[in-house]
Amino acid sequence: MLEQKHLALLEEAERRAVADTDNMRACFEVLALAGAIDRDCATRLAPFRLSEGKFVLLFLLHDQPDGLSPHELAERAGVTRATITGLLDGLERDGFVTRRPGLDDRRKIAVVLTGPGRKTACDLLDGHSAWIASLFAGFTAKERQTFHALLRRIWRNLDAGERPRARQEAQP
């Protein structure tokens, strides 16, 4: 399951006795799992000429007949404006979306699904959501709850987790 680079790091950490290698192995297993999920996701979306980011935008636009502005899409998808521009350029080039003047203000742009974009979104939404949910097939509610609790504990140990927000808010 582990990548060669992680095996090498574990081996070196064991040789030097610098860290708890069981904890390191657990981290590397999480990284390997996340990578495998990303690769499976990419493989499932590739036949539709979609990346995960593009799929998210189709999902967000699916129930928006008047469309959304690029700014709104970036905010809802949690990406930068530069990233949204690239994703929208690709979706437009492939015929999934179109940019048109906004209904209320013609200076604003609204991104809307085209017919093929709407069909692709409809075809993928249920199946892709079911695939994601299937990753936890066979888990009991209690096991999922335990898993979520463990993930939250890891997040709290990260610099990017919950603690930095509290630190940032405390700073003047």
Side-chain angles (χ1 to χ4, degrees), residues 7 11 22-23 31 47 95 101 118 122 151-152 164:
L7 291 171
E11 200 173 284
D22 287 339
N23 286 353
L31 290 172
R118 187 164 306 290
C122 286
L151 288 176
R152 280 192 301 276

Side-chain angles (χ1 to χ4, degrees), residues 53-65:
K54 290 177 181 178
F55 170 76
V56 168
L57 297 185
L58 291 185
F59 186 85
L60 291 172
L61 288 167
H62 181 256
D63 289 328
Q64 301 292 328

Side-chain angles (χ1 to χ4, degrees), residues 30-44:
V30 169
L31 290 172
L33 177 60
I37 292 170
D38 279 345
R39 286 188 299 278
D40 279 6
C41 180
T43 299
R44 292 173 146 282

Side-chain angles (χ1 to χ4, degrees), residues 108-166:
K108 291 186 178 181
I109 300 283
V111 179
V112 295
L113 290 176
T114 61
R118 187 164 306 290
K119 180 181 180 341
T120 300
C122 286
D123 290 348
L124 282 176
L125 289 177
D126 290 342
H128 199 67
S129 296
W131 170 73
I132 293 168
S134 77
L135 297 175
F136 285 87
F139 282 65
T140 65
K142 177 78 171 141
E143 288 170 331
R144 282 191 305 277
Q145 187 177 27
T146 300
F147 181 72
H148 292 300
L150 293 170
L151 288 176
R152 280 192 301 276
R153 283 175 61 187
I154 295 168
W155 270 106
R156 284 192 298 270
N157 290 334
L158 281 175
D159 289 338
E162 295 176 29
R163 291 184 304 166
R165 273 190 290 250

Side-chain angles (χ1 to χ4, degrees), residues 70 84-90 92 97-101 109-112:
I84 208 72
T85 299
L87 291 171
L88 291 175
D89 287 348
E92 190 170 38
V97 302
T98 189
R99 293 171 170 118
R100 68 177 188 209
I109 300 283
V111 179
V112 295

Side-chain angles (χ1 to χ4, degrees), residues 75-88:
E75 193 172 284
R76 291 182 188 192
V79 299
T80 66
R81 288 185 185 194
T83 299
I84 208 72
T85 299
L87 291 171
L88 291 175

